[in-house]
Amino acid sequence: VLVDFFRATFKEKQSSTSNAETEKLNKTGAINKKEIMELKEMASRGQFIPKRHATNAAFRSILSQKCMMDILPHMPARCACKDWTLTYASELHGYSLYASYRACKEVSGPCLLAIMDTNQYVFGVFCSEPLQLSGGQYYGNGETFLVRFLPKFSVYKWTGKNSLFMIGTNEMIAFGGGGKFALWLDSGFERGTSERGSQTFDSPCLASAENFKCVAVELWSFKNPSV
């Protein structure tokens, strides 16, 4: 009911970044086929494994090392070679959209939002920009894409049909528009929806059900490797 209310309330305004500009960013930032093969080969030999940094040494992420290796070839080249830093985790910071917004004030580039539901499906969004209150305006660019890590890895890239990538308010955050939200989360990171019908990503339901409950929510940002 809530997600239908928000879908009806917000006019799907185009992001300030035009489709042409977004397509250019997406093409120039994406890893080419040669780089993909090099990354995969290095990862298979254990020569390229990004470090993960969390403030709590005992923290156990919902993303395994395999999840990291799976998504790396799909990330922009400038992020794929960087260390991962835990920016927000529901386990450490509480189940709160506001807490994630606050944490993102320290982030200047892309980030990865990961969610686990009650049936242990793990999925999320590679966000071209940090999560933020956007005043009812969509933001982001074509580097944004949806991902399902478990039970089977798959990614859903920008279709080019619109620029409705991300939208954030005090009550919710959503990704993908043009019919239905591809992914929607409430302000307490308690409930969410994932539906087929987003023209932005043309993605199926990412969770175990269209209406799901969150078990864990994490947000990772990317920084230059520490010496």
Side-chain angles (χ1 to χ4, degrees):
V1 176
L2 279 174
V3 68
D4 290 333
F5 169 77
F6 285 114
R7 190 184 297 128
T9 301
F10 289 104
K11 293 182 179 179
E12 296 182 331
K13 300 176 182 178
Q14 295 290 328
S15 167
S16 57
T17 304
S18 69
N19 281 359
E21 291 172 332
T22 303
E23 185 174 9
K24 182 179 179 181
L25 276 169
N26 195 37
K27 287 181 178 178
T28 57
I31 301 177
N32 61 40
K33 290 183 179 180
K34 181 180 179 181
E35 290 171 325
I36 288 175
M37 295 305 295
E38 289 176 350
L39 270 178
K40 286 183 176 179
E41 186 176 348
M42 291 174 69
S44 67
R45 296 197 302 263
Q47 295 176 335
F48 181 72
I49 302 175
K51 293 180 180 179
R52 287 196 286 193
H53 305 280
T55 53
N56 188 329
F59 176 75
R60 185 174 181 179
S61 175
I62 59 177
L63 297 177
S64 65
Q65 184 172 301
K66 182 181 184 303
C67 291
M68 294 175 65
M69 295 299 101
D70 284 341
I71 196 173
L72 278 180
H74 302 279
M75 290 165 52
R78 69 183 187 282
C79 297
C81 61
K82 293 186 177 183
D83 286 353
W84 292 35
T85 299
L86 183 66
T87 301
Y88 162 85
S90 54
E91 179 183 327
L92 302 176
H93 306 105
Y95 290 81
S96 167
L97 175 59
Y98 176 75
S100 71
Y101 284 152
R102 184 172 54 194
C104 278
K105 290 182 179 179
E106 305 299 322
V107 179
S108 59
C111 58
L112 176 65
L113 177 68
I115 304 152
M116 175 183 281
D117 70 14
T118 50
N119 288 315
Q120 297 188 317
Y121 275 54
V122 179
F123 51 93
V125 188
F126 179 87
C127 307
S128 58
E129 298 181 35
L131 305 189
Q132 58 190 271
L133 286 166
S134 60
Q137 176 77 33
Y138 277 86
Y139 66 101
N141 63 48
E143 290 181 336
T144 304
F145 63 87
L146 303 181
V147 56
R148 183 195 288 133
F149 292 101
L150 296 172
K152 183 179 180 180
F153 181 80
S154 54
V155 298
Y156 303 92
K157 298 292 185 77
W158 177 46
T159 63
K161 294 179 180 178
N162 61 41
S163 296
L164 309 177
F165 301 108
M166 309 162 61
I167 187 169
T169 72
N170 286 315
E171 292 78 25
M172 64 91 196
I173 191 162
F175 306 88
K180 296 182 178 180
F181 293 133
L183 181 62
W184 178 95
L185 295 173
D186 69 8
S187 62
F189 282 164
E190 178 184 5
R191 296 177 181 275
T193 67
S194 180
E195 302 178 88
R196 181 184 293 277
S198 163
Q199 293 181 9
T200 314
F201 301 109
D202 193 24
S203 55
C205 172
L206 300 175
S208 58
E210 288 188 351
N211 296 282
F212 62 87
K213 291 185 178 181
C214 301
V215 171
V217 181
E218 297 175 8
L219 193 65
W220 294 86
S221 55
F222 309 96
K223 297 183 178 181
N224 290 329
S226 55
V227 179

